[in-house]
Amino acid sequence: MRPIVLELCEVTKRFGPLTAVEGASLTVAKGSIVALLGPSGCGKTTLLRMIAGFERPDEGEIILEGRNVAGKRPYERNVGLLFQDYALFPHMTVANNVAYGLHQRGVEASQVKRRTDEMLALVGMRDFAQRYPQNLSGGQQQRVALGRALANSPPLVLLDEPLSALDPKLRLELRAELRRILKLSEATAVVVTHDQQEAMTLGERVIVMEGGRIRQDGLPVDLYDRPQTRFIAEFIGRSNWFNGTLGPSSGDFRELFYGDAKPLMIRDPGTAKGTSYDVCIRPEHIRLQDRLAATPETEMGYRNRLDGVVKDVVYLGSNIETLVTIESGKDVCVVEQNSRQPSRTIGQNVTLLFSPEDLIVIERRANP
């Protein structure tokens, strides 16, 4: 079991009448990458600033390598920081930017040069050592800032929206590269982001925040396939929702009644008849067929069949999105991988097939 580098214990931060973070507790093990994910205003950046030392918590403890640093200033914590705007010194070369923290800590000159060369090689910027930040692209600046954050071998690296300043194509290319660099350097990192794909690409664990609270902490696959609240299911990925009440049982399954439509079959959640549920199906988990092609044989194992009419088709290259209006009047989105199949046409009669196992079932209750 890896040792714990960072532990937060019931951390709370208020700004006047506003509670920005409430009762946040988490641990980060050595060598792991944890992503803090949530919408704007959820408290994730405030939490990161408290870990860094730019904000002081009103309650709780921030334990870094076994000592409570809640009252310590940023320079007393030896935490690496990668800011959203990179904050490179414009009057310094790439090499001097990377070496800055080492000089500030009084590292011997020969060691500074060796470590700077190591970092420039790690982030792929050795050939740009004598350039200035204004002569670099956004992606290159991000690499320099990362090299500077890692140069002191800090016990913890904090990254605040590290890819948000880049254009979408470059952001996609650098996600895997950023993770590779962090793993090669054996860094322990906390990454703040509002981008779901970024969080699930970078984070070995993803912590979702809403309204100043941690709502779920788990592996990316757990948050996507087994979200604990409707908010998490909607925030991570796309969903088609059915709101209804629990009906009679049928073996391992139960009927869910929504409006006047044919009930859905869901896995038995073990609660009383009449309990209200929010149920969703991910668009990629629906099988779409021409209605004439749907037979009892093709439907085996699915249990749920919804007939509808194609309302819209969007071609996205690798995927095709089809919007279907089902008999209840509800629109359902279906995402299919593009395998050069014949295109659906607007007005076409189709059948949607999906199994109870692919439904996410969440009992309807107020958030705490």
Side-chain angles (χ1 to χ4, degrees):
M1 186 174 180
R2 293 182 290 183
I4 299 300
V5 170
L6 174 70
E7 182 175 6
L8 270 59
C9 304
E10 295 293 324
V11 171
T12 296
K13 178 64 180 178
R14 303 182 187 89
F15 296 100
L18 173 67
T19 301
V21 176
E22 184 174 0
S25 296
L26 61 88
T27 60
V28 180
K30 185 177 178 60
S32 64
I33 305 172
V34 174
L36 282 177
L37 173 66
S40 297
C42 72
K44 59 186 186 298
T45 297
T46 299
L47 193 60
L48 191 82
R49 287 176 61 82
M50 286 191 286
I51 298 170
F54 297 117
E55 300 286 354
R56 179 174 293 191
D58 295 309
E59 299 172 15
E61 296 182 332
I62 299 173
I63 300 171
L64 181 63
E65 292 192 305
R67 65 190 184 105
N68 188 2
V69 297
K72 301 290 184 182
R73 296 180 177 88
Y75 64 83
E76 297 176 299
R77 303 189 184 200
N78 189 25
V79 172
L81 299 171
L82 177 57
F83 298 100
Q84 187 172 340
D85 61 358
Y86 311 139
L88 298 176
F89 299 113
H91 63 288
M92 292 185 182
T93 64
V94 164
N96 288 338
N97 263 282
V98 172
Y100 178 79
L102 296 167
H103 285 303
Q104 290 297 108
R105 292 185 176 274
V107 178
E108 185 181 322
S110 61
Q111 292 291 91
V112 170
K113 186 178 186 315
R114 181 187 64 79
R115 183 62 176 166
T116 300
D117 288 344
E118 286 177 358
M119 289 298 100
L120 290 174
L122 178 66
V123 299
M125 292 297 293
R126 179 179 282 170
D127 294 339
F128 300 85
Q130 299 309 311
R131 290 197 187 182
Y132 288 87
Q134 59 267 30
N135 298 320
L136 302 175
S137 68
Q140 290 169 336
Q141 290 183 39
Q142 192 250 23
R143 290 169 183 268
V144 176
L146 181 59
R148 183 178 63 183
L150 295 171
N152 282 322
S153 301
L156 181 68
V157 180
L158 305 177
L159 302 93
D160 184 15
E161 302 279 3
L163 304 176
S164 64
L166 306 176
D167 65 72
K169 186 173 185 296
L170 185 57
R171 187 185 311 161
L172 186 63
E173 291 173 357
L174 285 180
R175 278 180 196 159
E177 181 69 3
L178 178 57
R179 180 184 172 94
R180 183 190 70 82
I181 292 171
L182 290 172
K183 297 307 291 184
L184 279 176
S185 64
E186 299 182 342
T188 304
V190 176
V191 184
V192 160
T193 180
H194 66 275
D195 186 300
Q196 301 94 328
Q197 290 186 348
E198 190 173 298
M200 297 178 81
T201 301
L202 294 174
E204 297 167 318
R205 270 173 52 219
V206 178
I207 297 173
V208 181
M209 295 189 67
E210 178 201 16
R213 295 189 176 194
I214 293 175
R215 298 298 183 183
Q216 190 168 347
D217 177 351
L219 301 175
V221 65
D222 292 330
L223 270 69
Y224 190 80
D225 290 340
R226 291 173 289 279
Q228 294 176 0
T229 68
R230 176 163 179 158
F231 166 78
I232 295 169
E234 290 179 332
F235 192 74
I236 300 179
R238 300 174 63 183
S239 311
N240 297 294
W241 289 94
F242 300 89
N243 309 316
T245 56
L246 205 58
S249 63
S250 176
D252 294 332
F253 304 98
R254 298 283 289 276
E255 293 181 334
L256 183 88
F257 292 92
Y258 65 104
D260 297 327
K262 176 185 175 182
L264 297 178
M265 297 300 295
I266 66 173
R267 278 284 183 184
D268 189 350
T271 53
K273 180 179 178 181
T275 304
S276 295
Y277 279 92
D278 292 333
V279 175
C280 79
I281 180 75
R282 300 292 191 188
E284 69 275 13
H285 292 160
I286 300 173
R287 181 174 178 181
L288 181 62
Q289 288 190 327
D290 183 278
R291 194 178 301 177
L292 296 177
T295 66
E297 289 75 22
T298 62
E299 296 174 26
M300 288 183 64
Y302 288 100
R303 289 185 173 268
N304 288 305
R305 167 183 174 146
L306 302 175
D307 291 329
V309 178
V310 174
K311 182 177 181 179
D312 196 13
V313 179
V314 180
Y315 181 84
L316 296 173
S318 60
N319 293 324
I320 300 173
E321 292 186 5
T322 305
L323 192 65
V324 178
T325 302
I326 59 176
E327 292 175 331
S328 67
K330 179 181 180 62
D331 289 340
V332 176
C333 179
V334 181
V335 175
E336 298 176 286
Q337 186 174 5
N338 183 5
S339 57
R340 299 185 181 276
Q341 66 267 48
S343 298
R344 311 289 177 182
T345 58
I346 294 175
Q348 180 180 354
N349 292 321
V350 293
T351 295
L352 311 181
L353 302 171
F354 51 93
S355 67
E357 288 79 2
D358 287 327
L359 286 165
I360 296 170
V361 180
I362 298 172
E363 187 173 349
R364 200 179 305 168
R365 60 182 68 177
N367 282 336

